Amino acid sequence: MPNLSSNDQTLHLLILAPLGRDAELLQKIASEAGLCASICRTPEDFCETFVLGVGGAVITEEALYLHEASKIFVAVESQPPWSETPFIVLASRSNPEERARKTFELTRPLRNVTLIERPARASTLANAFDSILRDRKRQYEVRDALEELEQSQKALQELNSELEQRVNERTARLQTAVRELEGFTYSVSHDMRAPARGLISHARMVLEDFGDQVPEDARVHLQRLADAASKMGALVDDLLKYARLGERDVKRSTFDLACLAEEVVEVVSEDTNCPIELKPAPPLRVEADAELLKLALYNLFHNSCKYRGDREVEIELGRAQKDGKTAYYVRDNGIGFEDQYAHKLFMPFERLHRDQAYPGTGIGLANVKRIIQLHGGEVWAEGSPNQGAAFYFTLM
């Protein structure tokens, strides 16, 4: 059995000729054409070399009629998907029609076959040898390309796995940090509520019980102290709401956002003593967490009342297409804002207006943003001074 290196495979011919001098003659023709050829006398020897990979095979008709010829067909079927080794079968022209038909049938399992009648010229055989080896070379090029592609895919999968692991690790660290921050915020906010209430109640007690005895300047300072404590209490309550939102699971249901807005308007009007005209809106069916969106609308409507200026509050709720997405909006006729600062509106404690004129904690719109993000959506604002403001949000 010849010993072939991988570099020899695409140029090597394997000859199976069990009878006569056909094998030597075929080997000589191949050698004169500059090709390497090995001779096998039995199908068993042929198969041992064939399965290692060859450029092509040349077999005589007689080999197909041997009892062991089935081993050749098995070896052909066991080739990898990219491989279809080319065969040249030498058949006798003088065979009876029945034998010729049987020979043709026996070549079918070989799949990639060129049938040449004997006697054949040396030049014809040399050209046939060259043709099947060129065909085989292309197959090996396909194999190499497939192996390279497989290696690339494997490297890509390993890279993706590594990146996924890194993302999971960083996500886990981030989630831990967020939970710790939320827990810290919750704890601090909760512990601050009692001192704030104590400051408010004691300041009021002094004013109520010793009001006549307290100098006017002291009364002013005590009132400022009570107001500051009240603001701190409101800030604590808002921080608690903000922290709790991080622990809230979104419970989706289908409802009409316009109907929910009508309910929220009544609550905001009562809480702020600010009449609101909510313009009629068409049905706005959404699939979301009704309680969370109720809180978001409350904050938006509350802002409209706070920043109304000297106007009667008018609010419009609707739906629009923004960048190919369905967005819902709340538009009012208030004092508006400089559009260049719109990105600051949703940041905790960021405020665009003086606290003396428009008191607040700076948490309301941060809560709105968090609620929308819990729904997988986005929120943004548009406005201009004295032209009102519009708040848009999407829901996934």
Side-chain angles (χ1 to χ4, degrees):
M1 181 177 65
N3 184 17
L4 302 179
S5 69
S6 59
N7 293 330
D8 296 328
Q9 291 173 341
T10 58
L11 299 177
H12 189 83
L13 282 173
L14 189 59
I15 299 172
L16 174 58
L19 303 177
R21 298 181 60 249
D22 286 342
E24 288 74 12
L25 291 174
L26 291 168
Q27 187 181 46
K28 181 180 178 182
I29 293 171
S31 178
E32 290 175 350
L35 305 173
C36 178
S38 299
I39 295 175
C40 297
R41 294 296 183 181
T42 67
E44 186 175 1
D45 292 340
F46 176 89
C47 290
E48 288 183 11
T49 303
F50 181 85
V51 296
L52 299 178
V54 295
V58 183
I59 64 177
T60 59
E61 178 183 30
E62 294 78 21
L64 297 175
Y65 287 88
L66 296 176
H67 177 69
E68 296 178 337
S70 59
K71 295 181 179 179
I72 301 174
F73 306 143
V74 172
V76 170
E77 288 296 327
S78 66
Q79 295 180 98
W82 60 267
S83 176
E84 196 165 85
T85 304
F87 279 81
I88 292 176
V89 176
L90 297 180
S92 298
R93 182 184 304 173
S94 59
N95 283 342
E97 181 178 345
E98 185 64 28
R99 181 177 174 86
R101 186 181 302 109
K102 184 175 181 181
T103 298
F104 179 75
E105 290 298 324
L106 288 173
T107 63
R108 287 183 181 276
L110 302 178
R111 302 194 304 202
N112 187 5
V113 181
T114 300
L115 195 64
I116 297 179
E117 292 182 340
R118 292 181 294 192
R121 294 181 179 180
S123 59
T124 300
L125 291 171
N127 289 335
F129 295 164
D130 182 68
S131 177
I132 66 172
L133 291 178
R134 279 189 279 109
D135 178 21
R136 187 58 167 168
K137 185 176 181 180
R138 286 192 291 270
Q139 292 183 31
Y140 276 106
E141 289 172 352
V142 170
R143 178 203 64 179
D144 294 341
L146 289 174
E147 289 178 352
E148 183 178 351
L149 177 61
E150 185 177 355
Q151 291 174 358
S152 299
Q153 290 176 336
K154 184 178 180 181
L156 182 59
Q157 288 174 352
E158 291 175 353
L159 179 60
N160 285 339
S161 298
E162 183 181 349
L163 289 175
E164 185 175 355
Q165 182 178 356
R166 289 182 182 179
V167 169
N168 290 337
E169 290 174 354
R170 291 179 181 178
T171 300
R173 289 198 296 268
L174 180 60
Q175 289 175 340
T176 299
V178 169
R179 285 194 296 269
E180 291 175 351
L181 179 59
E182 289 173 347
F184 174 78
T185 302
Y186 183 86
S187 299
V188 171
S189 301
H190 187 273
D191 293 344
M192 289 174 62
R193 297 178 78 180
R197 289 172 178 170
L199 287 172
I200 296 170
S201 62
H202 288 330
R204 288 176 177 171
M205 286 172 60
V206 170
L207 290 173
E208 291 175 0
D209 295 346
F210 306 97
D212 296 338
Q213 304 173 35
V214 177
E216 184 62 28
D217 291 345
R219 290 174 60 85
V220 172
H221 289 304
L222 283 172
Q223 187 59 51
R224 287 178 178 174
L225 178 63
D227 291 342
S230 296
K231 181 178 178 181
M232 185 171 68
L235 179 58
V236 167
D237 289 338
D238 286 345
L239 281 173
L240 282 173
K241 292 178 183 177
Y242 187 76
R244 285 167 179 162
L245 281 176
E247 304 171 356
R248 178 73 153 76
D249 292 329
V250 177
K251 301 175 182 178
R252 293 180 182 267
S253 62
T254 302
F255 58 92
D256 187 350
L257 188 63
C259 292
L260 182 66
E262 292 176 359
E263 297 177 15
V264 176
V265 162
E266 294 181 7
V267 176
V268 174
S269 296
E270 184 177 345
D271 289 350
T272 60
N273 195 26
C274 168
I276 299 174
E277 179 187 347
L278 179 63
K279 295 184 178 180
L284 300 172
R285 304 294 293 179
V286 297
E287 185 178 349
D289 189 311
E291 288 300 319
L292 288 178
L293 282 195
K294 188 174 184 179
L295 177 59
L297 291 177
Y298 182 92
N299 282 296
L300 291 174
F301 294 170
H302 194 279
N303 265 22
S304 296
C305 287
K306 183 189 299 184
Y307 300 108
R308 67 183 183 274
D310 56 359
R311 304 174 177 87
E312 295 292 329
V313 178
E314 296 179 359
I315 295 178
E316 178 185 356
L317 177 69
R319 178 168 47 203
Q321 291 296 317
K322 291 285 186 177
D323 299 326
K325 298 179 180 179
T326 298
Y328 304 91
Y329 63 84
V330 174
R331 183 180 291 120
D332 63 36
N333 62 335
I335 64 173
F337 57 88
E338 292 285 353
D339 201 49
Q340 59 181 319
Y341 301 117
H343 64 284
K344 291 186 175 183
L345 290 173
F346 302 98
M347 299 172 63
F349 311 116
E350 286 283 355
R351 309 192 67 235
L352 304 187
H353 303 282
R354 290 181 296 108
D355 191 57
Q356 292 83 353
Y358 301 99
T361 61
I363 299 294
L365 291 180
N367 280 336
V368 172
K369 181 178 180 180
R370 201 164 205 187
I371 289 169
I372 299 306
Q373 288 178 336
L374 286 173
H375 284 81
E378 300 175 272
V379 61
W380 67 95
E382 297 175 358
S384 57
N386 297 315
Q387 298 297 320
F391 293 86
Y392 294 85
F393 59 90
T394 60
L395 300 170
M396 296 296 290

